[in-house]
Every structure is written in structure tokens, then in C-alpha cells.
Amino acid sequence: MECRVLSIQSHVVRGYVGNKSASFPLQVLGFEVDSINSVQFSNHTGYSHWKGQVLTADELHVLYEGIKLNNVHHYDYVLTGYTRDTSFLEMVVDIVQELKRANPSLVYVCDPVLGDHGSMYVPQNLYPVYKNKVVPVADIITPNQFEAELLTGKNISTEKDAVEVMDLLHAMGPDTVVITSSDLPPRLGDRFLVCLGSQRHVRPDGSRTTERVRMEVPKVDAVFVGTGDLFAAMLLAWTHHYPNDLKTACEKTFSVMHHVIQRTISYAHELAGPGRRPSPPQLELRMVQSKADIEDPAIVTKATVIS
């Protein structure tokens, strides 16, 4: 039976960001994807110039109503990423709630894009909407450390802090939380980045148990755009295939990321030439070229189970 995803994210004509970063890999893995573009830009905003349009909440509502009128609004997953407008985000919440009423087993995967490294890169008024409306209806969330701290009001200085923050996020609604990057000290050295995940499971007797994992992934000295969208899409896919095995789902997800990023940085350095830093066009994700790695990634990032 096919699995259907409604992806509400940004779209760029050139490169892989938002819906393009999510739709292609999901389709490669057998998912049927319906895409609604929250913005349509010529290219991502890491370039010197960009042009395009931003979808309003009313326009989103019209598109969704069209889907409903044709009775094709039957989804297994909803996936969302970057947005800058509170009314648009509130409309997404309304759509998710309606879809969950029609299909109580629907899974909402949310990348709560708020900021990084101590500063926000969306308007401040999005924060209470994410905290009070979005996260409570989400099933899977993929914040970075800054976003996880912002949503819970608790700082992360140790692994114990991170576990407590993930538990606080669970208490807000989501059963699966993956902190995609953190400032925690890596055991493998400063060339690595620590990521953590937590997943609540319900036992047959109704009691709950929690699986928590830690990963250390290699740092890359470059700025990529679209990796967060790709990560959320791959976590959706691999938790679908391994619903009760967060360790394997994370290993598959992070390994896909590794292969795509390594292929991209190698290609970018080749284009840039010796001693030159690659430009944004040269750092566009090599997604199509990574099709085989998306389908069956060689595991290069191992997760360890933590208490």
C-alpha cells in the first residue's frame, strides 16, 4: 500500500531546498508526495540576489480546499519546514488537525525552524506559535540545540541536560525528538558534532518506554542550504521503515546526509579549484547524483544507546 505525504515547504527553481530537498528522496524511497510551496524563489537566499513569491495563509487554504473537494486529502504524513508568517503557520496547524481527525494515525513531521547559534532568523512572533500550537500537534520534531532550548526554556550544557530537554519536548506532544546538532563535547574530537535522539514507545500493556541515542557526525567546513529539509524527510522515511528502532532510523538518516554532503563538497572543491572556497552555486546539494545512497545508504554513522 502506497504511503502519501503532504509536504508544505519552500521551493526554489535552482538547487535543492525545501520541497525539492524533501520530495525527490522521499519519491526515491517509494513515497507519493504532494507538494505545496510556501514560497517560490528563483534560488535560495544564500545567493546575492533572489526573486519570487510568498504564499499567504489564504492562498494555502484555497489550495487545500481544492485538494479536499476532489476527496484526495488522505495522507499518512505531513512534513513542514521553514516559514516566516504566523498566520501561514497557524493555517498549517489547522490543516494538520483536520487531517488527523480524518486519519488518527497520521504522523506530522516538523522541522521547527527558528534559528541557530543563539540568534533567531525568523520573526520573534513565530516562537509562541511553534511552542503553543505547532509542537503540541507534531509527532516528530527535528530542532537544533538552540531551537530545543528556546522551545523548552532550558539550556543544554551536558548530555543529561539534553535528555531532560528531549523529555520536556515529549511532554509537549511529539513522540520522536532528534536534536540535529549541539555544542556538547564530542568523544571523537573537535572535528565531530554531537546529535541526540529520543523516542517514546507504548508497550502492549499500555506502559511507556523511551529509547535514547547519541551520534557523532563529522563536521564539514562549508555552509549548505537544504540539509535540514533533507534530514527531516529522511527521518520521516526511515522511522516509517523502522518505527520502533530509533537507532537504525537515525543511522540511516545521518548516513544519507553524510553521503550527500561528502559528494557535494568534493564536487564543489573540484569546481572551485585549489585554495578557493566554493561559492553558493557550487555548494548546491548533489541530490540526483546521490540516488543510490538515498535508496540504500552504507552506514557510516553509528548511534549509541544512552540512558
Side-chain angles (χ1 to χ4, degrees):
M1 183 177 177
E2 70 180 22
C3 201
R4 298 190 63 216
V5 180
L6 177 62
S7 181
I8 306 175
Q9 301 195 78
S10 59
H11 172 82
V12 295
V13 174
R14 189 190 192 284
Y16 280 88
V17 176
N19 267 324
K20 287 176 76 174
S21 288
S23 296
F24 172 74
L26 285 171
Q27 288 166 334
V28 164
L29 289 169
F31 292 81
E32 289 290 338
V33 184
D34 291 350
S35 299
I36 295 179
N37 299 327
S38 57
V39 305
Q40 177 156 285
F41 287 166
S42 54
N43 45 268
H44 67 68
T45 56
Y47 285 75
S48 300
H49 309 281
W50 67 91
K51 297 286 185 181
Q53 302 81 37
V54 178
L55 195 73
T56 67
D58 288 341
E59 290 165 339
L60 171 61
H61 179 70
V62 168
L63 290 174
Y64 176 64
E65 285 298 306
I67 294 172
K68 275 177 35 178
L69 286 170
N70 288 292
N71 195 32
V72 290
H73 59 302
H74 309 292
Y75 294 101
D76 303 285
Y77 290 91
V78 174
L79 174 63
T80 64
Y82 177 81
T83 186
R84 294 183 61 85
D85 181 75
T86 55
S87 61
F88 188 94
L89 196 54
E90 288 169 341
M91 179 60 66
V92 168
V93 172
D94 290 343
I95 290 171
V96 169
Q97 290 175 322
E98 183 170 317
L99 290 173
K100 283 195 170 193
R101 286 193 292 271
N103 175 17
S105 63
L106 179 139
V107 174
Y108 173 31
V109 181
C110 172
D111 182 7
V113 182
L114 288 163
D116 203 359
H117 303 298
S119 61
M120 294 184 69
Y121 39 63
V122 298
Q124 293 274 352
N125 58 0
L126 262 72
Y127 159 67
V129 181
Y130 270 110
K131 181 175 181 178
N132 300 321
K133 297 183 178 181
V134 179
V135 174
V137 300
D139 301 284
I140 299 174
I141 59 170
T142 58
N144 56 40
Q145 176 176 327
F146 171 74
E147 291 159 345
E149 291 174 333
L150 193 63
L151 289 168
T152 60
K154 179 177 174 58
N155 291 332
I156 297 174
S157 301
T158 64
E159 187 176 286
K160 181 175 179 290
D161 292 336
V163 169
E164 290 175 1
V165 164
M166 290 189 291
D167 284 345
L168 288 171
L169 289 168
H170 284 317
M172 293 168 68
D175 284 330
T176 301
V177 176
V178 176
I179 298 177
T180 57
S181 62
S182 77
D183 297 324
L184 294 177
R187 295 164 188 161
L188 297 177
D190 59 9
R191 296 179 64 183
F192 287 79
L193 194 65
V194 176
C195 313
L196 300 112
S198 180
Q199 187 174 63
R200 296 189 302 188
H201 304 287
V202 179
R203 295 190 180 103
D205 64 2
S207 62
R208 287 185 176 272
T209 182
T210 304
E211 176 188 6
R212 301 187 183 96
V213 298
R214 172 190 173 110
M215 292 138 290
E216 298 198 6
V217 299
K219 290 181 180 178
V220 178
D221 185 22
V223 176
F224 303 95
V225 179
T227 50
D229 309 306
L230 174 61
F231 184 91
M234 290 299 86
L235 189 64
L236 182 161
W238 294 116
T239 53
H240 173 79
H241 289 298
Y242 300 94
N244 298 306
D245 185 354
L246 182 64
K247 181 178 184 294
T248 298
C250 283
E251 288 175 347
K252 294 269 192 180
T253 298
F254 278 97
S255 293
V256 169
M257 299 300 298
H258 173 86
H259 294 306
V260 173
I261 288 171
Q262 288 302 314
R263 182 170 287 104
T264 301
I265 196 68
S266 296
Y267 179 74
H269 280 306
E270 183 182 326
L271 288 181
R276 295 185 176 183
R277 289 191 69 84
S279 65
Q282 293 166 339
L283 288 167
E284 293 285 6
L285 296 178
R286 302 292 285 171
M287 201 78 77
V288 172
Q289 297 79 5
S290 303
K291 176 177 177 290
D293 291 316
I294 292 167
E295 288 178 300
D296 186 20
I299 301 302
V300 292
T301 302
K302 285 286 189 178
T304 56
V305 177
I306 60 175
S307 59

